[in-house]
Amino acid sequence: MGWSVASLTLTATLAMMVAVPLSDKFGRRKVLQWSAVLFAVSALGSAIAPNFLLLVIARMVGGLGVGVSLILAPMYIAEIAPPDMRGRLFSFNQLNIFIGISAVFFSNYLILQLAASDLAWANSLGFEKWNWRWMLEVELLPALFYFIGVVYPNDVSFKQAFRASLEGSEALTFESEAITATITMNPTLILMRILGFVASFFNSIGPVMWVLFSELFPIHIKGAAISFVGFINSLVSYLVQKFSP
């Protein structure tokens, strides 16, 4: 379970190391367009994957797109935004991410409601049997919008410009109790806490981190430096997801 969750973040971490050099050679927007294609391929591949291996591979393909977009979108904003609007546009970028995360919760909820309904069209589309596949396939829609967004704006070139051990007999002793406790928790309270945490993050360290990165490093090392700190940030995220899925 940990691998299925964290596999995407692993490739995102690796993509961050090559995203900036690639964008220096081919242009920021061109590489962001590639990331949108990777999102679409991942969504379709995850939805139709016939086995666990291909599901993980499809998620890892999506991770490449995630790593590219996370590192390049803030850089792109920093390079095209006037200084007096830079912070505001960074905040909008983080707001859009938060809206996307919230939309996932609601779209998944809607799919589950359709799966439990008696609607003939929902049953014919396999919502009841394959609800998780539909949850993954929905990613095709934002991938399409993202591709359109980075293809059609005016073209501008900026080429110059611990693991804590949850393993062994002790973990096995408490595993069933932990799972049972999680299942019996108040779902509304859990959702409120998750959304509260995410909202706090996106109103504080979320946008500020990327603004700081874009202004902290000298121009001649900015690309490499942002790639490195983005790599460290994503690596920590991967470890958390891997061992606390």
Side-chain angles (χ1 to χ4, degrees), residues 62-181:
L64 296 174
V66 171
V68 167
S69 60
L70 280 180
I71 204 75
L72 289 187
M75 290 186 65
Y76 186 72
I77 293 173
E79 291 170 337
I80 67 173
D84 59 331
M85 295 183 62
R86 188 172 298 150
R88 188 184 316 167
L89 290 178
F90 271 109
S91 297
F92 274 118
N93 180 57
Q94 294 296 320
L95 176 63
N96 286 335
I97 295 175
F98 174 68
I99 291 174
I101 292 174
S102 302
V104 170
F105 283 111
F106 289 109
S107 67
N108 288 351
Y109 177 78
L110 176 60
I111 289 172
L112 290 177
Q113 295 302 304
L114 291 173
S117 70
D118 295 327
L119 297 174
W121 66 270
N123 293 331
S124 65
L125 291 175
F127 276 92
E128 181 178 5
K129 183 178 181 181
W130 303 117
N131 53 71
W132 67 271
R133 293 186 184 273
W134 280 104
M135 292 177 184
L136 294 170
E137 193 170 15
V138 164
E139 184 188 353
L140 278 171
L141 293 178
L144 176 62
F145 291 137
Y146 192 80
F147 182 80
I148 293 174
V150 295
V151 166
Y152 288 102
N154 292 331
D155 189 16
V156 181
S157 174
F158 297 100
K159 291 184 180 179
Q160 299 179 350
F162 302 31
R163 179 181 180 182
S165 177
L166 299 170
E167 297 179 357
S169 58
E170 184 177 0
L172 295 176
T173 301
F174 296 104
E175 181 180 23
S176 60
E177 296 180 10
I179 294 175
T180 301

